[in-house]
Structures are given as structure tokens and as C-alpha cells.
Amino acid sequence: MKHFLLYILLLLTLTAHAQTGTIRGTVRAEGKVVPFASIGLKGTTLGTTADEQGNFALGKVPAGSHRLVSSAVGFLPAERTVTVAAGQTQQVNVSLNPSPNALGDVVVSGTLNEVVRSESPVAVELYSPKLFRKNPAVCLFENLTMINGVRPQLNCSVCGTGDIHINGLEGPYTMVLIDGMPLVSSLSTVYGLSGIPSSLIERVEVVKGPASTLYGSEAVGGLINVITKNPAKAPRFSADVLGTSHRDLNLDLGVARKVGSASTLLSTNLYHFDQRRDVNQDGFTDVPTQQRVSVFNKWTWARPEQQVANLAGRYYYEDRFGGQLNWTPEHRGQDSIYGESVYTSRYELLGQYQLPVRGQKLLLSGTFNQHNQNSVYGTTLYRASQRVGFGQLTWAKELSIRHNLLVGATYRTTWYDDNTPATASASLDQPRNQPDLVRLPGAFVQDEWRLTPDATLLMGLRYDYNSRHGSILSPRLNYKWGRPDGSLVWRLGLGNGYRVVNLFTEDHAALTGSRQVVVQGNLRPERSWNANVNFTRFLQTRSGGTVTFDASAFYTYFTNKISPDYDTNSDQIIYRNLDGFAVSRGLTLNTDIAFSRPLKLLLGVTLLDVYRQERLVAGEPLRRVAQLHSPPFSGTWAVSYALEKLRLSLDYTGQVSSPMPLPVVPNDFRPSRSPWFALQNVQVTRKLREGLEVYGGLKNLFNFLPRHPLLRPFDPFDKRTAVDNPQGYSFDTSYNYAPVQGRRLFLGLRYSL
């Protein structure tokens, strides 16, 4: 009897085995293999991940017809029917199409958890280096001009420093992160974005609206998160060299390799430009000269259960000059020939380590950066040093299939010292500086509920204790409703942001020496409340093309807002907490169209109304003042056409801006608003062989140049104010709305192994 039972059991096992088969295949997209794609059978628990060559195998698949589902970051999910015969292997070739809007991509900026973008309750815009290659630039700061609603703004017409505006808000309201960590401090937003090699960037995530619940101070208007490449998946070697007819040269190099259980990526950016161009003939350089070097090294270690362990470092140095054409370093700080000379050096360290606690996801993150700046603006010397340390411990727990909890504790310290009144001693008996030290411990909790298969609710609350201003609470609420396939998504967000201000570290105009800085009263932290609605619609046409609409409406209300006042006194910049309120509201629309033929369109439009209602004199009614450098209408576009047989691709890109308010002085002969203008570019790319391509084109196609960016450039030290100066003008550099760079040819070579 015992042998009979064993026989029956063996027969059943063999019968079950005979009723299953195997699916093998390769995942490709546009002829190239797609590594690490996810493969699964719909309605079952069977699934696997493709290897580095895109190959996969699914075993013990029940005989019959199945729906094979494939997905990968940067591509649209694909489904196909596969019939499996008992005891046989079915060979399948899977083809994926690139996602024009990256609905299927993974994002982290909205919730600090890796989620598919269409599933994120927070609207996150995602941009890959492919977009930036349509109009190549020498740094990420310039690349961001291609993102709708994001405006890199030059604040000085001489030295070329600037900041990033999101939805019309000034640069200090934008937080810039690298791999989710606040490496880029307020002293160095531009310097942090300059010199990030293109070979290093995996993607750029943009969140518009307050994000202080997760990221704390500075994340008032929005955030930009630069995600770097995983060394284990990066090309073994990459190079990109770019030059223009203005005789500037940019070089990006990247090398990746495996060292035991670790993988490393070394990336370098070199930029050189030493031409003193003066097309508008005002005696000043149109574009500052620059010599820049940036070196980035990232390490990752393979650990059990894909636990995170990485460490990275970056060093950055820049020598930048703008001023009169006959200036030499011997004139630095003197009042004979005007020049603005900036020496910048900084280093950054960042790392993440998942604690080896079984069954728990505890992630420890830390960063440290030091920024040293030695600048001269005419005769004004500015020497500053800033050190920022940041630590964060998060615990992510899936309480149920519908309930995720995230808890975190953070600590941030900012040490700052300079030679301005910002750190001067209040005591005459103690002439030494008193460096500014701000400690910012905090804790946050985020609770995410999957209410139904279509609806998700996200609630968050953060508590920070600022050593200068005390306790600060930042709540937020987000709701998402959408179809499971991501083709239709509605999002509603309510959030709060705050910012602690250090004027002298973030406003270049306060340092130029052309105006006196006046700070009225004890400045209080700024607060903002934001409401936004986001709608995303994805359509697939009968001809095989795709159309994506992404629209948002937003409203942000500010209290205690601090804005520089250029109007009350033409010789001063006055800072004070606003006696009133400020508003930023508007609409954004992004449209991505990929035709079945090799034609793709990316169009973006932003409508803005940014203003403040303020009371300058007690007892007077509030008056409305428009935000400077904030165009009511702006747009971006990218039109791409591929000639596959010739291995050519054509790109036509650009940006357009409506008239925007500009800082003018009393009786200024220059318009108080800029004209309509568009900066347009064309590019041709020729693929020579796999991994090697040459590209070239024309920037600023119609040679647009702003007029009169400098006031009285012939008298930069105001030594002749009594001569031929009936209006009492003084030298000023703040009137700027577009780069003073005319039409120029560019040519580049890109290689990836």
C-alpha cells in the first residue's frame, strides 16, 4: 500500500510538471536591449527580472494562454498574448516603446518612496538627459530653460550669477537636491547646478509647490532633485565634447567599473571660455569668462535583498570674471577699471546606508558640503564660507497592502561666516566676526492610504525647531484618483512651506556694491500655503502614436514675505517683512505628442500672476506690486523628427516670454517691462555607429539681444555723476531678462560604451 501511494504521488508530480512550460525571451526597444526590465504573467504571481542583456526566463508556467506584461523605467508598459504548450519552451521577443511622458517611470521626490509616477499622489515632473540633448548646454543651469514653468534667471548682467525660478517665485524659494539630499545650499544654488556632468545625470525630478513637510526650510516654491546614475548600470565609458563659435569648450567624461562587490562611477566636467566679447559695445563683457572643473565620484555596494549602500563626493572650482574689457587681475578691488571676479571652491559628500535590520526598511542618509567664495564686485570685497551638515533617518513600513507609513527624523546645521554686516560683531569691543550658526532638528510622519484601487490619500506633518525662530509646523494633504493603467489621473494637493532667510547668502544684488543694503526690523520666517490641482491624460491613437496632457492650476499665499525693494530709493535695496501678503497663482500645460511616424512634439505653456499687496506707510491702503522678472506668459517647445534611413535626427527647440516687470530707477529711460522675445535653436544629430554620434546646430536663431542691460556703463564707479547726468543715474547691473548672447554655431561629439 505504501508503494502504491508513492507511485500515485510520483505520477501526479510528473503530470503537473508535464502540464507546465517555460517562456524565454529578450526585451528590446528601438533595436536595443533593455536591461533589468520587469516581466510577469497577468493574474498570477509568476514574474522575473531581465538580466543586463535583456534576457529573461519564466519557468513552471501552466499550459495555456497568458497575458505577458513587460515594463521598464522610461518605457511604456506592454502586454501580449503568449500560448504555452506543456513541457515546451516558448520563445518570445518583447518590444517596448519609449515613454514620451515617463508615466511608468519611478519617482522619489514626491513621497521619499520609490513609486511609479502615475501612482504618486504628488505631481512629479520627470525629465531625462534625452530632453536636454535636444538643445545641449554647458551646465544643468542652462538646461533647465527647456522645462516649462522653470526659469533660470540671471541676476547680474556683469558676472552672470543667477538663480532658478519655479512658477514665478525667486530662486531662494527653490530647493535643489542631489539624490534627494540638500547638498546645494542657498549660497551656491547656481554653483551647485553648474558643473554637473551630463554623463552623471539619470533624471531630473521637479515638484512645483511647497514641499516643506518632507524637505523642511527652503522648499517653499518647489524643488529640483537631480538623480545621479547607478554606477552598476552606467556606461563603462562616456564622453561628450561641445564647442561653439564663441570659442568656448565643454568636456564631460564618465568612467564606470566594477571593483569586487562594489561599482564606481567617476565623472568629470571641464569648461573653458576666455573671450571678452562686447557685441553691444558698452565697454563691458557680454558674457563672463569662466574656467571650471568639477569631479564627481560615486560608489555603490551590492548587498543582500538589494539593501542600499552608496557614497559619493564632488569637488568644484570656478574662476569667473565679468567687467570692462581692459580689466586685469591687478585691478581686482580697485576703483580705476571695473571688474567682478569670483573664485569659488566647494566640496560635497553624501551617502546612504540601509541598516541591516531584518524585516525593516531603515535608511540612514547624510550629507556635508563646504563652500568657499572669494569675490570682488568693483571695490566691494565679499569673502564667505559656508558649511552645511545634514542627517536623516527614515523608517518605511507597509502596514498592509493598502497602507504605507513613513517616519523620519532629521538634523541640519548651517555655519556661515563672511565679511559683511551679516556676521559682524555687535560689540565695538569685539571686532572679530560672529559666524552665524543655525541648528534645525526636525521630525516628520507621512501616512499613505490606498482607499480604493483608484484612490489614494496622503497625509503628512513635519515639526522643526529652528535655533533662531523656535517651533515650526508644516502639514500637507494630497489626494489622487486615477485609472489603474495611469491613462487618467487627478491630483489635489494642499501644503504649507516655510523659509528662514539669510539675505547675504542668496541675493547677489546685495553684494554688488552698486546699492546700499538696508534691513528694516527683525526679519521673521516666511510662510506659504498652497493649493494645486493636477490633471494627466494619456491617449494612444489608432495609428500607434501617443498623446499626453498634463495640466495644473495652483494658488500660493505668502505671509511675512521678504522681497527686495528697488523702487523706494534708487541707491538702496530695502529688505523687510511684507506688511500685507503676496500671491503666486497660475496655470501650466504640458503636451507630449509622439506620432506613429518619427515626429515628436513637446509643448509647454505657463500663465502666471505673481504679485504682492503691501502697505509702505502705516495707515495707507494696500497697493498691488507685480513680481519682478516674472512673465505673465511663457512657453517652451521641442520638435523632433528622425530620418532613420539616414541615421539623422532634427530638433527645433525654444522658449518664449511675454513682457515682464524689470527693476528700473526713477526717470529711467529704459522700459519698465521687457519686450516679447523668443530664444530659438536648431540641431542636427548624425549617428555614426552604435554609441557614437556627432551633433551641431545654431543657438539663438534670430540673434535676440536685450538692450541696455547696464546703466551708465561708462561710469561704473559713479565718479562723473555730476557730468551729463541730469537724472542722477548711478551704475546698476540688475536690469536683466535674457542672456546677452547672440547667434552662435555649436558642434559636439558624443560617445558611450
Side-chain angles (χ1 to χ4, degrees):
M1 183 66 178
K2 184 183 297 184
H3 294 289
F4 178 74
L5 291 175
L6 290 174
Y7 174 76
I8 295 297
L9 183 60
L10 179 61
L11 182 63
L12 291 173
T13 302
L14 293 173
T15 302
H17 179 74
Q19 291 177 349
T20 64
T22 302
I23 300 176
R24 292 181 180 273
T26 304
V27 184
R28 290 186 172 87
E30 298 180 338
K32 301 179 182 178
V33 298
V34 179
F36 310 111
S38 298
I39 311 295
L41 295 183
K42 198 170 186 178
T44 74
T45 58
L46 294 176
T48 187
T49 301
D51 61 17
E52 295 182 2
Q53 303 303 319
N55 300 317
F56 69 92
L58 275 173
K60 297 183 180 181
V61 179
S65 181
H66 301 277
R67 294 293 291 175
L68 186 71
V69 181
S70 311
S71 63
V73 173
F75 299 90
L76 295 172
E79 288 189 27
R80 60 172 298 177
T81 301
V82 178
T83 302
V84 178
Q88 296 185 9
T89 298
Q90 180 67 34
Q91 193 69 28
V92 177
N93 289 321
V94 176
S95 179
L96 298 179
N97 292 318
S99 174
N101 65 338
L103 282 174
D105 281 1
V106 173
V107 295
V108 297
S109 298
T111 63
L112 281 184
N113 286 321
E114 289 192 346
V115 296
V116 176
R117 181 188 169 201
S118 60
E119 293 295 319
S120 173
V122 179
V124 180
E125 297 181 12
L126 192 61
Y127 301 93
S128 75
K130 291 182 180 179
L131 172 66
F132 304 140
R133 289 174 186 168
K134 297 178 185 295
N135 178 30
V138 299
C139 64
L140 183 60
F141 178 78
E142 294 182 20
N143 283 138
L144 294 179
T145 59
M146 301 188 66
I147 299 180
N148 181 36
V150 177
R151 176 183 171 82
Q153 171 62 41
L154 292 177
N155 294 327
C156 175
S157 300
V158 177
C159 69
T161 58
D163 51 31
I164 305 297
H165 293 200
I166 293 182
N167 288 344
L169 297 175
E170 303 100 310
Y173 298 91
T174 300
M175 173 171 273
V176 181
L177 307 104
I178 297 180
D179 288 335
M181 289 173 280
L183 269 178
V184 181
S185 55
S186 57
L187 178 63
S188 52
T189 297
V190 174
Y191 301 106
L193 288 175
S194 299
I196 295 181
S198 59
S199 58
L200 180 68
I201 301 173
E202 176 71 24
R203 65 185 187 271
V204 176
E205 299 179 1
V206 178
V207 176
K208 297 175 180 176
S212 290
T213 301
L214 289 183
Y215 297 97
S217 178
E218 280 93 48
V220 182
L223 65 90
I224 297 171
N225 190 8
V226 181
I227 306 296
T228 61
K229 288 181 178 179
N230 184 340
K233 301 179 182 180
R236 285 180 292 168
F237 176 77
S238 63
D240 192 346
V241 57
L242 170 66
T244 77
S245 56
H246 286 185
R247 297 172 64 183
D248 57 339
L249 184 66
N250 186 77
L251 175 64
D252 283 345
L253 293 175
V255 178
R257 61 174 299 182
K258 194 170 183 180
V259 183
S261 63
S263 299
T264 180
L265 171 63
L266 178 64
S267 197
T268 302
N269 171 256
L270 302 172
Y271 179 69
H272 177 78
F273 175 63
D274 62 359
Q275 302 300 306
R276 300 189 179 185
R277 296 176 54 84
D278 183 21
V279 176
N280 60 5
Q281 298 182 352
D282 60 2
F284 274 70
T285 54
D286 297 332
V287 180
T289 64
Q290 295 181 57
Q291 286 76 43
R292 181 176 71 221
V293 58
S294 177
V295 181
F296 186 96
N297 189 209
K298 182 177 182 180
W299 289 77
T300 62
W301 285 266
R303 300 178 63 206
E305 301 178 357
Q306 297 183 337
Q307 293 181 349
V308 175
N310 58 59
L311 181 66
R314 183 169 82 116
Y315 175 76
Y316 175 90
Y317 176 80
E318 182 182 60
D319 179 358
R320 179 192 299 238
F321 158 75
Q324 291 182 295
L325 301 179
N326 56 343
W327 184 91
T328 65
E330 288 74 19
H331 297 111
R332 201 170 193 263
Q334 299 181 12
D335 65 351
S336 55
I337 300 176
Y338 189 90
E340 298 190 2
S341 171
V342 180
Y343 301 145
T344 300
S345 65
R346 64 181 277 118
Y347 65 83
E348 307 161 346
L349 293 172
L350 66 154
Q352 292 179 315
Y353 182 77
Q354 187 172 338
L355 301 181
V357 180
R358 192 170 184 178
Q360 304 294 332
K361 189 175 181 181
L362 287 164
L363 185 63
L364 181 64
S365 306
T367 69
F368 178 80
N369 72 78
Q370 175 158 323
H371 183 105
N372 297 308
Q373 188 159 326
N374 181 344
S375 306
V376 172
Y377 306 98
T379 58
T380 301
L381 304 179
Y382 175 60
R383 294 186 174 91
S385 179
Q386 185 177 52
R387 294 195 289 267
V388 180
F390 172 80
Q392 178 174 275
L393 178 64
T394 59
W395 175 60
K397 182 66 174 178
E398 185 177 310
L399 301 179
S400 71
I401 195 172
R402 292 187 175 183
H403 188 194
N404 293 313
L405 184 68
L406 178 70
V407 179
T410 65
Y411 185 83
R412 181 176 175 182
T413 178
T414 303
W415 181 93
Y416 173 76
D417 191 18
D418 66 13
N419 64 326
T420 75
T423 58
S425 171
S427 172
L428 297 178
D429 300 329
Q430 187 181 2
R432 297 182 60 185
N433 274 12
Q434 292 183 338
D436 186 49
L437 179 63
V438 177
R439 299 180 179 90
L440 191 64
F444 62 88
V445 60
Q446 176 178 273
D447 200 7
E448 183 176 350
W449 285 85
R450 190 73 175 260
L451 304 177
T452 69
D454 301 329
T456 302
L457 179 66
L458 179 72
M459 298 173 289
L461 179 66
R462 183 185 185 98
Y463 170 79
D464 285 317
Y465 183 83
N466 186 280
S467 59
R468 182 183 299 155
H469 299 286
S471 300
I472 302 175
L473 284 174
S474 302
R476 82 166 174 182
L477 179 70
N478 294 87
Y479 177 79
K480 180 195 78 73
W481 180 91
R483 296 174 181 171
D485 61 358
S487 61
L488 175 64
V489 179
W490 282 95
R491 294 182 178 91
L492 172 64
L494 301 171
N496 172 256
Y498 77 93
R499 186 172 75 96
V500 179
V501 182
N502 189 340
L503 300 176
F504 294 89
T505 65
E506 61 196 24
D507 193 339
H508 167 76
L511 307 170
T512 60
S514 57
R515 297 193 185 204
Q516 179 188 2
V517 176
V518 177
V519 179
Q520 292 186 354
N522 294 321
L523 300 179
R524 301 182 298 277
E526 298 183 346
R527 302 300 299 263
S528 72
W529 289 94
N530 173 272
N532 61 80
V533 179
N534 174 259
F535 170 74
T536 302
R537 184 75 171 99
F538 175 75
L539 302 170
Q540 195 151 9
T541 64
R542 294 181 179 178
S543 59
T546 59
V547 180
T548 303
F549 296 98
D550 187 282
S552 295
F554 59 90
Y555 182 94
T556 307
Y557 180 91
F558 291 89
T559 58
N560 291 337
K561 192 174 188 297
I562 300 172
S563 295
D565 178 5
Y566 294 87
D567 301 328
T568 302
N569 189 322
S570 61
D571 295 325
Q572 296 179 340
I573 306 175
I574 302 173
Y575 295 96
R576 56 174 171 262
N577 281 114
L578 188 66
D579 183 7
F581 61 90
V583 170
S584 170
R585 59 186 179 182
L587 299 169
T588 64
L589 173 63
N590 292 299
T591 304
D592 300 348
I593 305 173
F595 295 94
S596 57
R597 296 180 180 180
L599 177 63
K600 295 182 180 180
L601 303 177
L602 288 84
L603 306 173
V605 171
T606 297
L607 302 176
L608 285 176
D609 184 19
V610 185
Y611 64 93
R612 64 183 186 269
Q613 293 276 6
E614 64 176 341
R615 182 181 292 105
L616 296 178
V617 180
E620 289 189 355
L622 296 174
R623 64 165 184 153
R624 177 183 171 118
V625 180
Q627 174 64 51
L628 297 175
H629 298 117
S630 179
F633 172 90
S634 63
T636 60
W637 69 85
V639 182
S640 302
Y641 189 84
L643 301 170
E644 296 180 0
K645 292 184 179 180
L646 299 177
R647 309 182 79 178
L648 287 175
S649 61
L650 310 176
D651 295 294
Y652 169 50
T653 60
Q655 60 183 114
V656 61
S657 293
S658 67
M660 69 186 80
L662 299 174
V664 293
V665 301
N667 302 313
D668 203 322
F669 68 92
R670 302 170 299 181
S672 61
R673 300 177 69 85
S674 65
W676 280 89
F677 71 93
L679 302 177
Q680 305 175 56
N681 321 284
V682 292
Q683 177 184 249
V684 178
T685 303
R686 175 71 157 84
K687 191 172 183 179
L688 302 178
R689 62 181 178 85
E690 187 65 30
L692 179 63
E693 60 186 26
V694 61
Y695 58 92
L698 195 61
K699 288 180 178 288
N700 197 355
L701 191 60
F702 295 100
N703 200 34
F704 174 80
L705 288 169
R707 300 185 62 187
H708 307 298
L710 301 176
L711 187 63
R712 287 182 67 83
F714 54 87
D715 186 22
F717 296 103
D718 293 332
K719 294 181 177 181
R720 300 164 50 192
T721 55
V723 181
D724 300 326
N725 190 21
Q727 304 296 344
Y729 295 148
S730 294
F731 176 68
D732 190 70
T733 67
S734 59
Y735 187 90
N736 197 311
Y737 54 91
V740 190
Q741 278 190 293
R743 186 188 298 116
R744 58 201 183 278
L745 294 167
F746 67 92
L747 181 66
L749 184 70
R750 191 178 293 122
Y751 177 69
S752 178
L753 176 63

